[in-house]
Amino acid sequence: METGKPLLRLLLLYTITVSVLVISPTCAGAPLQYSTMFVFGDSLVDDGNNNYLSSLAKANYLPYGVDFFGGPSGRFCNGKTIIDFLGELLGLPYLPPYVNTIGNDRSILRGVNFASAAAGILDVSGSQLGDRFTLNQQIANFENTVNQLKNPMEEKELREFLAKSLVVMNIGSNDYLNNYLLPSIYPTSSIYNPREFADLLIRNYTAQILMLHGLGVRKFLIGAVGPLGCMPNQIARVDPPPPPGKCVTDVNELVSLFNTRLVSLVDQLNSRISILGAVFVYGNTFDLFTSILNRAESYGFKVVDRGCCGIGRNRGQITCLPLAFPCLNRDEYVFWDAFHPTQAFNKIIAQRVYSGPTSDCYPMNLHQMAQL
């Protein structure tokens, strides 16, 4: 009987959570600011694509989704992702994962999520975790969706529809976590110094962004790579660990090299507006994340350096296992597991990217871009 108690407690917690939630997959009354939203990225924004792949990177089991109205869905969170909150602010419904839209023309009219856990800018990144839709494959999948949209839409209508859509790109973490920072598996850190590797990523990313532009989309939100050195996973890998509340500095310095180049890329692309006819904004999630960590208590967070769910030091060595029992005070945690933030944290980031100052979203926020 004793061995069944953790499972019983978890199921009871899930039942209570679901019973008190108001099931509202759209933000009632929110004005429509973009025709639709298309999402590209990794596990921070994946909402179920990896459920259908042969991959170790999955989140379609409890306790993932314990606070999500539909339960486990493939989101790497206890509840909603940044994309879910952005959709609510934009008056859009929760996006279907790409794998659920194949052959279903109606399901793609309000947006599609192409993101895939373990994906990177480079095709090789994350390969040790199994199948995933790399960013190149996500773009190929988007081209399939564009062709699918030709069924219900005429050419002019489709062109206008795509031009008014929002593209969100949130990728790059796995090129570090599951490539450059794993020298026992990947040789990249012995081939490229940190600056050369950041340049390699930006060259590839630039080509990928322009490929999407070539398919007709014109409004881009391009997210920074967050402060990976503050993740419980990275803190757990360092011996001795950094002081409480501090991060792994050298990892954050690696990421900053990429982000600095990414801001420059956004400036370069916007300087070509007369040619590209597009707008690009940079979501400064690195500085946003850092500022929240530095003033965690003012945002209601009490735990900043370990996961609510997981195993090992700082709950950062292994992510949430099936039916593991998470912490109860989830809104007080920045991190849900070894890599991913909680729903409470995601909500703050989404709100700041939507309506924050240029220090949060540069050169304008999503609300301002919607007016263009």
Side-chain angles (χ1 to χ4, degrees):
M1 293 295 293
E2 290 295 318
T3 57
K5 285 186 177 181
L7 174 60
L8 179 61
R9 290 170 63 204
L10 179 60
L11 293 175
L12 179 60
L13 172 66
Y14 172 64
T15 302
I16 293 172
T17 301
V18 171
S19 67
V20 300
L21 285 171
V22 177
I23 300 178
S24 180
T26 61
C27 187
L32 184 63
Q33 299 163 69
Y34 296 89
S35 62
T36 189
M37 178 163 55
F38 297 114
V39 177
F40 303 84
D42 51 33
S43 58
L44 291 170
V45 291
D46 184 356
D47 67 357
N49 280 305
N50 273 36
N51 296 352
Y52 303 89
L53 301 180
S54 178
S55 172
L56 295 175
K58 291 180 184 283
N60 56 344
Y61 55 83
L62 286 170
Y64 288 100
V66 68
D67 297 314
F68 192 68
F69 78 93
S73 61
R75 289 165 169 82
F76 287 75
C77 187
N78 60 304
K80 299 175 186 177
T81 67
I82 292 173
I83 298 301
D84 296 322
F85 285 116
L86 281 180
E88 292 177 357
L89 291 167
L90 298 173
L92 295 170
Y94 296 148
L95 302 182
Y98 168 74
V99 292
N100 286 354
T101 67
I102 300 171
N104 185 345
D105 297 343
R106 291 181 61 84
S107 67
I108 62 179
L109 294 176
R110 299 303 298 279
V112 180
N113 190 321
F114 298 90
S116 177
I121 294 169
L122 303 179
D123 286 348
V124 69
S125 298
S127 58
Q128 85 278 10
L129 296 172
D131 293 342
R132 67 254 176 266
F133 293 139
T134 66
L135 182 53
N136 282 324
Q137 184 60 54
Q138 291 177 40
I139 295 169
N141 293 342
F142 176 63
E143 186 171 9
N144 293 337
T145 296
V146 172
N147 289 331
Q148 199 173 331
L149 283 166
K150 294 177 182 177
N151 294 328
M153 294 187 186
E154 297 294 334
E155 181 179 348
K156 180 182 178 183
E157 182 185 8
L158 176 57
R159 185 168 59 250
E160 293 175 350
F161 176 81
L162 292 174
K164 294 178 181 178
S165 67
L166 172 66
V167 168
V168 179
M169 306 187 75
N170 193 97
I171 200 163
S173 296
N174 287 305
D175 295 291
Y176 287 98
L177 294 172
N178 288 303
N179 188 334
Y180 198 77
L181 293 171
L182 285 181
S184 61
I185 300 176
Y186 299 94
T188 43
S189 60
S190 63
I191 299 173
Y192 305 100
N193 66 39
R195 293 180 182 277
E196 291 170 340
F197 188 66
D199 288 337
L200 174 69
L201 293 180
I202 289 295
R203 284 196 302 272
N204 280 268
Y205 205 14
T206 301
Q208 292 159 334
I209 291 168
L210 292 176
M211 286 172 63
L212 284 172
H213 175 272
L215 292 169
V217 287
R218 295 293 181 264
K219 293 185 177 183
F220 292 78
L221 167 62
I222 304 175
V225 173
L228 304 182
C230 301
M231 287 181 170
N233 170 265
Q234 291 300 300
I235 292 173
R237 291 167 63 90
V238 178
D239 193 14
K246 300 297 181 181
C247 304
V248 184
T249 303
D250 58 345
V251 173
N252 283 348
E253 289 175 349
L254 282 176
V255 172
S256 294
L257 291 172
F258 172 80
N259 287 335
T260 299
R261 287 158 173 75
L262 189 56
V263 176
S264 296
L265 174 60
V266 166
D267 282 336
Q268 292 168 19
L269 292 170
N270 282 325
S271 71
R272 299 167 60 188
I273 188 169
S274 62
I275 300 172
L276 297 176
V279 182
F280 302 84
V281 301
Y282 170 75
N284 190 7
T285 48
F286 185 99
D287 286 348
L288 266 173
F289 211 116
T290 304
S291 67
I292 294 171
L293 290 177
N294 290 338
R295 298 187 296 115
E297 289 192 4
S298 66
Y299 290 94
F301 297 114
K302 296 181 179 180
V303 185
V304 301
D305 56 1
R306 65 180 185 273
C308 170
C309 179
I311 295 175
R313 192 173 75 193
N314 291 81
R315 291 184 174 177
Q317 291 171 296
I318 299 177
T319 194
C320 301
L321 296 177
L323 301 180
F325 197 78
C327 66
L328 295 177
N329 54 332
R330 293 182 284 281
D331 286 348
E332 297 177 356
Y333 277 68
V334 167
F335 288 98
W336 161 244
D337 63 13
F339 301 94
H340 307 98
T342 57
Q343 170 178 264
F345 188 88
N346 286 336
K347 184 176 183 179
I348 296 170
I349 297 294
Q351 290 172 332
R352 297 276 289 270
V353 169
Y354 175 74
S355 60
T358 54
S359 58
D360 294 341
C361 204
Y362 168 85
M364 67 191 76
N365 58 45
L366 286 192
H367 180 66
Q368 292 166 333
M369 185 166 64
Q371 315 308 313
L372 300 179

